[in-house]
Amino acid sequence: MSGNSPRVQRVIDDIESRIACRTAPPGSRLPSVRAQAKALAVSASTVVEAYARLVAQGRLVSRPGAGFYVAATAVAPLKLAPQGPPRAPDLDPLWLSRQALEADPALLKPGCGWLPPDWLYQIGVRRALRGLARGNGAELADYAPPQGSAALRQVLVRRLAHSGVEAAAEQLLLTDSGTHALDLIARVFLSPGDVVLVDDPCYFNFHTLLSAHRVTLIGVPFTPQGPDLPAFEAALQAHQPKLYLTNSGLHNPTGARWSPAVAHRVLLLAEQAGLVIVEDDIFHDFELSPAPRLAAYDGLQRVIQTGSFSKTLSASVRCGYIAARPEWLQQLLEVHIATGFGGNRLAAALVLAAITDGGYARHMEQVRQRLAQRREQCLVRLAALGITPWLRPDAGMFLWCRLPHGRDAAAVARRSLEQGVVLAPGNAFSPALRAAEFMRFNVSQCDDERVFAVLRNALRAP
Amino acid sequence: MSGNSPRVQRVIDDIESRIACRTAPPGSRLPSVRAQAKALAVSASTVVEAYARLVAQGRLVSRPGAGFYVAATAVAPLKLAPQGPPRAPDLDPLWLSRQALEADPALLKPGCGWLPPDWLYQIGVRRALRGLARGNGAELADYAPPQGSAALRQVLVRRLAHSGVEAAAEQLLLTDSGTHALDLIARVFLSPGDVVLVDDPCYFNFHTLLSAHRVTLIGVPFTPQGPDLPAFEAALQAHQPKLYLTNSGLHNPTGARWSPAVAHRVLLLAEQAGLVIVEDDIFHDFELSPAPRLAAYDGLQRVIQTGSFSKTLSASVRCGYIAARPEWLQQLLEVHIATGFGGNRLAAALVLAAITDGGYARHMEQVRQRLAQRREQCLVRLAALGITPWLRPDAGMFLWCRLPHGRDAAAVARRSLEQGVVLAPGNAFSPALRAAEFMRFNVSQCDDERVFAVLRNALRAP
């Protein structure tokens, strides 16, 4: 038997991919032969042959007189399909996440979003492990209480108060990570087809996370003071979004801080539009002084705050949190119990011990100083390559930079990867692919001279 | 201002609850005033007033000439609404899960699904914690590789082989718990409105977990050899389910083991119907000899296996796994990265150290012996109260029992709770509420004389 012709195969691939990402769910009717032929610019006979083959494979069912349907019993596991314009594989946010997690320790990773392991508070984690080994049995063996450790929630209450957010311990839910916190919120507040606003640029795993919820992402251009207000207002009008997901402490990837005026104005617009805002506060402990927090201004009315300790304490000890108004927190808690049967008690005990041992505050003071030095060094080295910062952040690990002479960041990243350097090209952060000339650098991962040598070569290449 | 009349309030409550559980999603049209009045057996003017108040609150929008719509911007967080017949609060699976997790340590919990903390392998966990405190920095600080610890996956490969399941380490994904494993599978394989088969009775958190995915549960009566085959076949025909979720090692709550013939027949039926089967193997280490495994017979083609160490090692150290065919595993992995950004590295390291330290096998041997003794003692004590086992399991912690003289288990559980004893009434496990006279006992939690004294009184009460 001969294989399919390329045209027939193209029709088959198109249908398979729509089944896989569930835009053509089981039981749904396919376009008529004529409509399909027109849509894919092929002949009707090509479509007839493709449909016939898919029927033979049991993927489609033909109902004479009624058309072709996706077989109800077709096993079609969900395939994550990020929304928006088509992307090259190396700009796919999921690919970037996987690559960073999988990367050989020998690779240099100025594109990754975390500190090197020896910058983290390992001494505190080790001490906490030894303490737990001597600790009580329930802590080591039993399920956690539903909202998680009361003692850690009490510590978080004080931490939130530091940036002006007033919350009671009952308004906090411990989660397995910052990402898990956002995922629970998406499960409770979003339905497939809903629209979610994000910043353009924003943290690239937001794209991937939200694609798992089958929602549509709309990016609002980000300015050094927060989202662009006219664009934000226009997006509210045009798309009726359910949720806006942002970082308001230190913004990822830009390192920007919101201005009080933008925060106030965004909250007013959200109030009018019935919008829920999620503020991911993952870089809290990197700030030199507290930036405006939406959750503080709003009093946790329509703002939900999330965070974790992955960036400062350990990414191996998984523990995050959600702060929300009481009735929303109860619904988040229900979904948390249903889908995880309680949280990570051991991780919460380790985090509590480590951040309250007296050394953590000192450790973070050193991290902030070290980041300030590295940031300055990194800016000098990047300037020598003609790479300029969009903003000079006063805290955090990121520099969001423009490459010289309209260089394409994706091509530069591709060439650098061949030389063992993992970079983070701008369009991975941009829902609308508006950041082709940008790149995010993690100053804590730029210590090795080879980073700049490889980058120099990659920028030179045609 | 006066409050709403009780009738108006009832209409408002009805609409609010339909918005909350999304049977009336944002943007959907409400029934006409006349139809609503008829449906709720109230007057048209009552409905008009209720609609007007909801419009005033911004929950509904009135479109003159077209009717009333759920406001597109109404903030309506998902409320978990288990499927099936209405249940009293104390038969609600979510309520039971919460209650067991929240329970005061002073309460006696013969209804819970785990061993007392001092039965678990705490000595191993303590040793593992001390070992990790001396261990390498990446283990303590860095993100996990995407599929989780290769060393632990290798150990799991051998463990699976013990019950005849052949899997390569590449076919395994570590998760944050057994429940988390099931949740990932549901996310990848199910869409809202799909039908899922479960056993009747089955583990009660299956109901809660699946309600978070907005699918319909159909229970198939369970026999001492596995699901009832004629009922299973009829359910396939009648409902075209996507998934069947079961325990095939030791069944929860009955303690039954599948017969090879039933396993073979179910797999044949699944093949014909294009059904995916998920086998939750959470009680693997309790078995005296390996029961038939669907994943073994099927070679992980359409069967996916899950498990964890919560029941034997620690419920505080969260770590589970999924074994599946390679292309399915990759899709599960993508959703895992998208929604959790990698797994719990520290927990995996602890589990690996504890289960390979030489003492774990001995410890589990003792647990199995101890359970056998407790089971016999418990059967004698229950017999004295006229409570008889549906089956005498040869392993595990559960006894699924019938109460004497048609006693209502929910009423008995309610009275016992007042006396500080948490029981697990049968209908919490039964999707069709077919188990009103049944109760699940955990023999490891029945050591205290008060359990039987309270039970005796509760059975006597009118």
Side-chain angles (χ1 to χ4, degrees):
Chain A
M1 308 289 280
S2 73
N4 296 328
S5 84
R7 279 184 193 157
V8 171
Q9 193 57 51
R10 190 153 65 82
V11 179
I12 291 175
D13 290 349
D14 178 77
I15 295 167
E16 287 282 10
S17 82
R18 284 192 291 133
I19 293 175
C21 71
R22 298 203 185 146
T23 52
S28 65
R29 191 171 175 276
L30 288 189
S32 69
V33 167
R34 183 176 304 201
Q36 184 75 277
K38 194 167 169 199
L40 297 177
V42 294
S43 70
S45 65
T46 299
V47 175
V48 168
E49 189 173 337
Y51 280 14
R53 284 179 189 250
L54 286 163
V55 169
Q57 290 164 25
R59 302 293 281 166
L60 298 185
V61 174
S62 161
R63 299 199 191 137
F68 292 86
Y69 291 78
V70 178
T73 54
V75 174
L78 172 70
K79 212 170 156 50
L80 292 181
Q83 299 286 342
R87 289 160 180 273
D90 52 1
L91 286 178
D92 174 44
L94 177 63
W95 186 87
L96 278 170
S97 297
R98 257 188 98 149
Q99 189 203 30
L101 291 171
E102 269 167 359
D104 186 325
L107 294 181
L108 299 172
K109 296 195 263 189
C112 85
W114 50 89
L115 299 176
D118 59 355
W119 284 51
L120 299 182
Y121 191 45
Q122 283 187 32
I123 190 169
V125 174
R126 289 179 200 278
R127 198 183 298 133
L129 284 166
R130 290 193 300 269
L132 265 170
R134 295 186 300 266
N136 86 68
E139 205 79 281
L140 298 183
D142 245 355
Y143 288 93
Q147 288 181 232
S149 156
L152 180 53
R153 285 185 287 128
Q154 212 55 63
V155 170
L156 281 168
V157 165
R158 292 196 293 275
R159 192 172 181 259
L160 289 167
H162 174 73
S163 52
V165 180
E166 275 184 56
E170 295 72 42
Q171 287 179 268
L172 289 168
L173 171 61
L174 300 186
T175 65
D176 293 342
S177 66
T179 308
H180 178 228
L182 296 175
D183 185 50
L184 279 175
I185 293 167
R187 293 179 87 141
V188 165
F189 285 91
L190 298 176
S191 290
D194 282 348
V195 172
V196 176
L197 297 189
V198 291
D199 301 317
D200 192 341
C202 69
Y203 170 44
F204 58 75
N205 206 50
F206 287 172
H207 307 215
T208 318
L209 171 66
L210 291 167
S211 74
H213 292 274
R214 307 178 218 173
V215 298
T216 300
L217 247 71
I218 300 289
V220 174
F222 205 71
T223 80
Q225 290 80 42
D228 180 72
L229 287 172
F232 191 85
E233 192 164 2
L236 289 181
Q237 301 245 334
H239 303 289
Q240 282 97 46
K242 283 282 150 38
L243 208 76
Y244 168 44
L245 173 55
T246 187
N247 312 107
S248 70
L250 277 172
H251 182 255
N252 182 0
T254 64
R257 292 159 59 103
W258 285 52
S259 79
V262 171
H264 173 67
R265 184 74 193 141
V266 160
L267 285 169
L268 280 184
L269 291 169
E271 181 68 33
Q272 287 159 18
L275 181 75
V276 175
I277 298 181
V278 179
E279 165 176 80
D280 179 24
D281 197 27
I282 195 124
F283 297 106
H284 180 282
D285 291 348
F286 289 93
E287 283 181 304
L288 305 183
S289 63
R293 290 300 195 284
L294 296 167
Y297 287 28
D298 159 82
L300 287 175
Q301 285 304 301
R302 62 175 56 253
V303 177
I304 302 174
Q305 194 181 84
T306 65
S308 91
F309 301 90
S310 314
K311 302 299 180 190
T312 54
L313 195 62
S314 162
S316 168
V317 180
R318 305 298 280 158
C319 183
Y321 72 86
I322 301 175
R325 57 194 287 172
E327 69 275 24
W328 289 358
L329 199 90
Q330 287 305 310
Q331 293 186 295
L332 291 160
L333 174 59
E334 288 192 357
V335 175
H336 184 39
I337 294 173
T339 58
F341 208 71
N344 194 328
R345 183 168 189 167
L346 193 90
L350 282 173
V351 167
L352 177 66
I355 67 173
T356 57
D357 74 354
Y360 178 69
R362 235 179 4 258
H363 170 81
M364 283 311 301
E365 179 58 36
Q366 286 162 4
V367 167
R368 288 188 293 264
Q369 286 174 13
R370 212 167 159 188
L371 281 173
Q373 289 164 4
R374 293 293 172 92
R375 196 180 309 118
E376 290 313 309
Q377 291 166 6
C378 199
L379 282 166
V380 171
R381 284 164 157 179
L382 291 170
L385 299 176
I387 300 174
T388 50
W390 179 77
L391 180 98
R392 286 178 166 261
D394 67 357
M397 63 181 94
F398 298 131
L399 289 174
W400 179 244
C401 297
R402 185 187 292 274
L403 300 187
H405 320 304
R407 291 287 181 190
D408 177 51
V412 170
R414 219 169 289 137
R415 288 192 288 267
S416 298
L417 185 57
E418 287 163 12
Q419 308 298 316
V421 174
V422 181
L423 293 170
N427 271 347
F429 301 84
S430 173
L433 302 181
R434 281 191 273 234
E437 295 168 36
F438 281 83
M439 204 163 254
R440 186 190 73 181
F441 292 95
N442 176 342
V443 302
S444 73
Q445 303 270 6
C446 287
D447 203 29
D448 197 304
E449 266 309 327
R450 283 175 295 165
V451 166
F452 300 94
V454 165
L455 194 53
R456 179 186 312 271
N457 280 330
L459 285 167
R460 260 192 217 139
Chain B
M1 307 287 281
S2 72
N4 296 328
S5 85
R7 279 185 193 157
V8 171
Q9 193 57 49
R10 190 153 65 80
V11 179
I12 290 175
D13 289 348
D14 177 77
I15 295 166
E16 287 282 10
S17 82
R18 285 193 291 132
I19 294 175
C21 72
R22 300 207 185 143
T23 52
S28 65
R29 188 170 176 278
L30 287 189
S32 69
V33 168
R34 184 177 303 199
Q36 185 74 279
K38 195 167 167 199
L40 298 177
V42 294
S43 69
S45 64
T46 299
V47 174
V48 168
E49 188 172 339
Y51 281 13
R53 284 179 189 248
L54 286 163
V55 169
Q57 289 164 25
R59 303 292 281 166
L60 298 183
V61 174
S62 162
R63 300 201 190 135
F68 291 86
Y69 292 77
V70 178
T73 53
V75 174
L78 172 70
K79 211 170 155 52
L80 291 180
Q83 298 286 341
R87 290 161 179 273
D90 51 1
L91 287 176
D92 174 43
L94 177 64
W95 186 86
L96 279 170
S97 297
R98 255 188 100 146
Q99 189 202 29
L101 291 171
E102 270 167 359
D104 185 325
L107 293 182
L108 299 171
K109 296 195 263 187
C112 85
W114 51 89
L115 299 176
D118 59 353
W119 284 51
L120 299 181
Y121 191 44
Q122 283 187 30
I123 190 169
V125 174
R126 288 179 200 278
R127 200 183 297 133
L129 285 165
R130 289 194 300 269
L132 265 170
R134 295 185 300 266
N136 86 65
E139 204 80 279
L140 298 184
D142 245 355
Y143 287 95
Q147 289 182 231
S149 156
L152 180 54
R153 285 186 287 128
Q154 212 55 62
V155 170
L156 281 169
V157 165
R158 293 195 293 276
R159 191 170 181 260
L160 288 167
H162 174 74
S163 52
V165 180
E166 276 184 55
E170 295 71 42
Q171 288 179 268
L172 289 168
L173 170 63
L174 300 186
T175 64
D176 292 341
S177 66
T179 307
H180 178 229
L182 296 175
D183 185 50
L184 280 174
I185 293 167
R187 294 178 87 141
V188 165
F189 285 90
L190 299 176
S191 290
D194 282 349
V195 172
V196 176
L197 296 189
V198 292
D199 302 317
D200 192 340
C202 69
Y203 170 44
F204 58 74
N205 206 50
F206 286 173
H207 307 217
T208 317
L209 171 65
L210 291 166
S211 75
H213 293 273
R214 306 178 220 174
V215 298
T216 300
L217 247 71
I218 300 289
V220 174
F222 205 71
T223 81
Q225 290 79 43
D228 180 73
L229 287 172
F232 191 85
E233 193 165 1
L236 289 181
Q237 301 245 333
H239 303 289
Q240 283 96 45
K242 281 283 149 37
L243 207 77
Y244 169 43
L245 173 55
T246 187
N247 312 107
S248 70
L250 277 171
H251 182 256
N252 182 0
T254 65
R257 292 157 58 102
W258 285 52
S259 79
V262 171
H264 173 67
R265 185 73 194 141
V266 161
L267 285 169
L268 280 184
L269 291 170
E271 181 68 33
Q272 288 159 18
L275 182 74
V276 175
I277 298 181
V278 179
E279 167 176 79
D280 178 25
D281 197 26
I282 194 127
F283 298 105
H284 180 282
D285 291 347
F286 289 93
E287 283 181 304
L288 305 182
S289 62
R293 291 299 196 285
L294 296 166
Y297 287 28
D298 158 83
L300 287 176
Q301 285 304 301
R302 63 174 55 256
V303 176
I304 302 173
Q305 194 181 84
T306 63
S308 91
F309 301 90
S310 314
K311 302 300 181 189
T312 55
L313 194 63
S314 162
S316 168
V317 180
R318 306 297 281 158
C319 184
Y321 72 87
I322 301 175
R325 56 192 291 171
E327 69 274 26
W328 290 358
L329 199 89
Q330 286 306 309
Q331 294 186 294
L332 291 159
L333 175 59
E334 288 192 357
V335 175
H336 184 39
I337 294 173
T339 59
F341 208 70
N344 194 328
R345 183 169 191 169
L346 192 92
L350 282 173
V351 167
L352 176 67
I355 68 174
T356 57
D357 75 353
Y360 179 70
R362 236 178 7 257
H363 169 82
M364 282 312 301
E365 180 57 36
Q366 288 162 2
V367 167
R368 289 188 292 265
Q369 285 174 14
R370 211 167 160 190
L371 282 173
Q373 290 164 5
R374 293 292 172 91
R375 197 180 308 118
E376 291 313 309
Q377 290 166 6
C378 200
L379 282 166
V380 170
R381 283 165 158 177
L382 291 170
L385 299 176
I387 300 173
T388 50
W390 180 76
L391 180 99
R392 283 177 168 263
D394 67 357
M397 65 182 93
F398 298 131
L399 289 173
W400 178 244
C401 297
R402 185 187 292 274
L403 300 187
H405 320 304
R407 290 288 179 191
D408 176 52
V412 171
R414 218 169 289 138
R415 287 192 289 266
S416 298
L417 186 57
E418 286 164 13
Q419 307 298 315
V421 174
V422 181
L423 293 169
N427 271 347
F429 301 85
S430 173
L433 301 181
R434 280 191 272 235
E437 295 169 35
F438 282 83
M439 203 162 252
R440 187 190 74 180
F441 293 94
N442 177 341
V443 303
S444 74
Q445 302 269 7
C446 286
D447 202 31
D448 197 303
E449 265 310 326
R450 283 175 296 165
V451 167
F452 300 94
V454 166
L455 194 51
R456 180 187 309 271
N457 280 330
L459 284 166
R460 261 194 216 137

